[in-house]
Amino acid sequence: MKFTKLTILFLLLLSFGGFAQNKETETLYRQYAAATSSKQKTDLGNRLSWTIRSSDPDSALDLAISALQLAEKENYEYGEAQAHLCINLAHAVKSNYEIGLEHIDKAQAISEKLKNDSLLAACNLNYAGYYYNKSNYSKSIEKSLAAVKIFEKLNDQLGVMRSKLLMAQVYQLKDDLPRAEAVLKEISSVPVNDVKIKVTILHTLANIYGMEEKYEEALALDNEGILLCDKENSPYLKSPLYDNMANCYMYSGKFDLAKKYFHESLLLDSTFSNQKQMADTYLNLGQLSLMQKKYTEAIGNLQHSISLSKLKGYKQGIYQAYLLLTEVYRKNNQSDSAIVALKTAYKYKDSMINASTENKIAELETVYQTEKKESQLKLQQAAITKKNYFIVALVIALALLTSIGFFFYRKRQFTDRMHVQQEVMKQQDISTKAIIEAEENERKRIAAELHDGVGQLMSAAKMNLSVFEHELTFSDENQKKAFENVINLVDESCREIRSVSHQMMPNGLLKSGLASAVKEFIDKIDSRVMKVTLYTEGLGERIEANTETVLYRVIQECVNNVLKHSGANHLDISLIKEADGIVATIEDNGHGFDLADKDNFEGIGLKNIISRITYLKGTLDFDSKPGKGTVIAIHVPG
């Protein structure tokens, strides 16, 4: 049954991550669970993977792989490219850069085939991230600038910010702090809701302040970032903030606090298997041990950092660890080891930063700035041309003024006709409302008379008969049984009157609302005749009384139709209150009917259902085939 399957899938999706999701993520999970087409499921799976990659990379990877399989099956190439990029990002969180690179290459090939600029820009940005993590800074800048150009062309402000943020991180690692700070201030002036961008800006700026020995300012930014991570439930992003705080405490001489926050960072990174970030933390622990003159401990931490950095191809980490190891060996009077470590450090530095790479970065920046100025000149020339065209257009506009007046007159006529039609529809609504209200009032009157009038009389009759039973003397056992049958008949009549009066005026609806009334109604159905299941969500608060009443009557009519005509033995009913209204689904496993046969819609019951939903400005959809059961889907705006 459709409803049950969707519910199970939604619960499975919610169990993907070990962390509570924010409202946006929960909404995406619901949409993903409800998606019916492969294309829609692919797009939502990719979007979910991208959203949760920092908080739950394993689930993000599963979602992206599922999206890729769906896209490949449907030959949906745009979805395939997006899935490959999401797979890369999930692997990047876990420092699996080489595995991720294969997926960027595949996404790039598809993007070039489709000639899709947004995909090409995303591929460039993913390449830039890969090269950043592999300490190839000139290639990272090159790919970032390529991404910026396309994002600017597409007017994608968020894409431009992500690309420039990565460039600022490269400049910071290269100790070009003024340039890094200038880029950060440029992008931080633009309002953005992306928590990863916000936290990364705060972290990178805090790093710069720390390097400039502005420890109080750096710690304030780190604390602001941690509060944001807690608010948005992004634990992965907290690790570099803890690491920077620990550095500030370390260089301020607060070694215990430094060690505490280094271990906090290490714990988070090990949770996500982020070995690159773990390498940085062990490097910093080596520095802390050196400052405390714990040389053996420092060597152990630094060698661990080198092992992790080599495992992930992190040249910057290897260079820094060997450079620090040189100082440890020197302090520990191990001169030969110090010389070997220093030579190794500079070998890795030369592979990352040399005159060639520095010139390449400067050249790329110059080309970008030149192209930007040329673009601005073209915009100025276009403005002048636009002004000339405006003059010509003004002349033409004057010539067309008479024609515009004529069209305005015709439009006025059309508007008047529309107003008349709207008034007719309004009167129809008033008439329908009056009919429904009159019908409901009559139900209430009859229910009250049955309950308070006939019901009370029958109850009194039963009581009197019960009294007579004790006063009468019966001639034989048959006569006594006949009298008891009369009492039972009166008792059954009392129950029937109560049942009819409650159906006409349901107590559950009066007391507790729609969900309670529907439950009370279906509880009266004999499970041996038909098993009925009810699922409700979001109906804790009362909705508008008229809507409750109309929806109850519609559901009541639908259930009665199923009992009378469908031959079903199982019925699922769901009532869900969403942000934009109420969704109701009634699904049976009966023999169904042919939707193309208009005679199936001529019954009074179905006409009543359609008219009531139309009155509520709602929509009503039927899904049925002979032998396949029937699904009725109702949406009423709230």
Side-chain angles (χ1 to χ4, degrees), residues 269-285:
D269 291 326
S270 62
T271 301
F272 292 101
S273 300
N274 189 344
Q275 293 173 319
K276 174 180 176 286
Q277 190 66 34
M278 289 170 70
D280 273 338
T281 305
Y282 277 113
L283 173 72
N284 291 327
L285 283 168

Side-chain angles (χ1 to χ4, degrees), residues 90-310:
H91 277 302
V93 174
K94 299 166 69 68
S95 304
N96 297 327
Y97 306 121
E98 298 306 326
I99 299 174
L101 179 61
E102 298 173 10
H103 290 279
I104 308 177
D105 292 337
K106 291 176 182 178
Q108 176 78 8
I110 296 172
S111 304
E112 289 173 350
K113 177 184 175 183
L114 297 177
K115 296 180 180 179
N116 186 295
D117 282 344
S118 64
L119 285 176
L120 287 168
C123 287
N124 277 310
L125 186 52
N126 276 251
Y127 275 126
Y130 167 79
Y131 288 121
Y132 167 80
N133 287 312
K134 302 295 284 186
S135 305
N136 190 338
Y137 298 135
S138 62
K139 287 292 289 184
S140 182
I141 291 291
E142 178 184 344
K143 291 296 183 180
S144 295
L145 287 172
V148 168
K149 290 176 186 177
I150 302 175
F151 282 132
E152 286 180 338
K153 175 185 171 184
L154 297 172
N155 197 28
D156 185 343
Q157 197 173 62
L158 208 57
V160 172
M161 289 183 72
R162 288 196 182 97
S163 305
K164 289 191 174 181
L165 178 54
L166 187 57
M167 291 169 63
Q169 290 177 288
V170 173
Y171 294 142
Q172 182 251 318
L173 283 176
K174 291 170 70 275
D175 289 337
D176 191 348
L177 303 186
R179 185 184 291 184
E181 191 169 353
V183 174
L184 288 172
K185 288 183 176 178
E186 175 194 343
I187 61 178
S188 61
S189 63
V190 180
V192 64
N193 292 323
D194 190 297
V195 65
K196 184 171 176 59
I197 289 180
K198 289 181 179 179
V199 171
T200 308
I201 290 173
L202 290 169
H203 162 245
T204 309
L205 198 55
N207 271 344
I208 293 170
Y209 286 160
M211 293 170 75
E212 294 173 342
E213 299 183 8
K214 301 175 182 177
Y215 301 128
E216 293 299 323
E217 292 93 330
L219 287 168
L221 291 174
D222 287 323
N223 280 312
E224 184 181 344
I226 287 169
L227 288 173
L228 187 57
C229 289
D230 289 336
K231 180 182 177 183
E232 299 294 333
N233 187 39
S234 298
Y236 168 76
L237 301 176
K238 290 166 72 172
S239 171
L241 296 167
Y242 283 143
D243 186 78
N244 190 64
M245 290 174 71
N247 272 294
C248 290
Y249 288 128
M250 178 172 67
Y251 288 108
S252 301
K254 300 174 181 178
F255 296 145
D256 288 340
L257 280 173
K259 192 169 186 178
K260 172 189 172 183
Y261 283 104
F262 279 138
H263 282 289
E264 289 281 356
S265 177
L266 204 57
L267 179 63
L268 277 173
D269 291 326
S270 62
T271 301
F272 292 101
S273 300
N274 189 344
Q275 293 173 319
K276 174 180 176 286
Q277 190 66 34
M278 289 170 70
D280 273 338
T281 305
Y282 277 113
L283 173 72
N284 291 327
L285 283 168
Q287 176 68 60
L288 178 62
S289 300
L290 172 61
M291 293 173 73
Q292 293 177 300
K293 299 182 180 180
K294 299 177 181 178
Y295 302 126
T296 303
E297 183 180 296
I299 292 169
N301 283 325
L302 292 171
Q303 287 176 341
H304 200 165
S305 174
I306 290 167
S307 297
L308 289 171
S309 295
K310 285 182 176 179

